[in-house]
Amino acid sequence: MMVETAYRYALDNQAFFWSAVGVHVRLSVLALVLAGVVSIPLGVHAARRRPLGAFVLAVVGGVRVIPSLAILFLAVPYLGLGFLPALVALTVLACPPILINTETAFRGIAPAVVEAARGMGMDARQILWRIEVPLALPVVVAGVRTAAVDVFASATLAAFIGGGGLGDFIARGFALFDPAVMLVGAVPVAVLTLGVEAVLAGTQRVLEHLVRAA
């Protein structure tokens, strides 16, 4: 009965529903892209410079223990309400797993492999793109997979600072004490999160297979 009520509510508010889905996906994907642009190069540099790596990982570890909602509200005094502070907060949330996995992946590449490539006449750029990146990619994707699950699930909290998305339905359901309205937001979020996780898990398995076959 509750599911049927939620379905009817979604049908009666289709324009708002699909707009919320679009905002939720756009917010999540942009946060992951920005986090990747920041975290992957930083992770590579951290892996090559051990003192810097230890410092960066310590800072990232500290950020990782801050609750998602706290990160969102910390952005409000500086950026106000709306899409931008939600994007910044979700980007901060996505950075730690990507950075940690990138640093771990590049640090774990055997020095003998790099030396062999250097002995074949490859320069630093060639070693990076032809040797290190293919070997590290499965672990990096695993970090992106973890970040994607965190971001797609936590993007619902953006509604509490005016960021929009499917969290609007959950907030509205709380305000109305109506679980059916909450389901209109919660079920699509779960489907999106599981779908993204499944796609990235499949990508990770394919990359792992290619690395083993190489």
Side-chain angles (χ1 to χ4, degrees):
M1 184 64 180
M2 188 185 300
V3 174
E4 183 180 351
T5 304
Y7 179 68
R8 287 179 180 174
Y9 185 90
L11 288 180
D12 292 340
N13 297 272
Q14 285 191 58
F16 181 42
F17 174 78
W18 289 114
S19 174
V21 171
V23 171
H24 194 97
V25 171
R26 186 165 65 252
L27 183 62
S28 301
V29 171
L30 280 174
L32 287 170
V33 170
L34 290 173
V37 169
V38 172
S39 301
I40 292 174
L42 187 56
V44 174
H45 285 295
R48 292 176 173 176
R49 295 165 177 81
R50 296 301 171 85
L52 172 65
F55 173 75
V56 169
L57 291 179
V59 172
V60 168
V63 172
R64 201 169 191 178
V65 301
I66 302 174
S68 307
L69 189 59
I71 295 175
L72 284 167
F73 280 108
L74 284 171
V76 171
Y78 303 99
L79 300 172
L81 299 173
F83 187 89
L84 180 60
L87 176 61
V88 170
L90 289 172
T91 301
V92 171
L93 179 68
C95 282
I98 298 176
L99 195 153
I100 290 170
N101 275 48
T102 301
E103 194 274 342
T104 301
F106 278 85
R107 182 165 46 83
I109 295 172
V113 174
V114 176
E115 287 300 323
R118 191 173 289 115
M120 294 171 63
M122 291 187 183
D123 58 27
R125 184 181 296 273
Q126 289 174 320
I127 292 172
L128 174 65
W129 291 106
R130 295 185 185 181
I131 305 297
E132 293 179 311
V133 169
L135 290 174
L137 202 53
V139 180
V140 175
V141 171
V144 174
R145 175 182 168 190
T146 301
V149 171
D150 289 344
V151 167
F152 270 84
S154 299
T156 53
L157 299 174
F160 293 99
I161 60 170
L166 290 165
D168 282 340
F169 288 103
I170 297 174
R172 181 176 295 185
F174 272 119
L176 299 173
F177 298 101
D178 191 340
V181 178
M182 284 189 271
L183 280 179
V184 176
V187 171
V189 169
V191 171
L192 285 171
T193 302
L194 291 173
V196 169
E197 202 279 338
V199 169
L200 290 174
T203 303
Q204 182 185 346
R205 283 195 293 271
V206 170
L207 291 171
E208 289 171 347
H209 175 73
L210 292 175
V211 168
R212 286 195 296 268

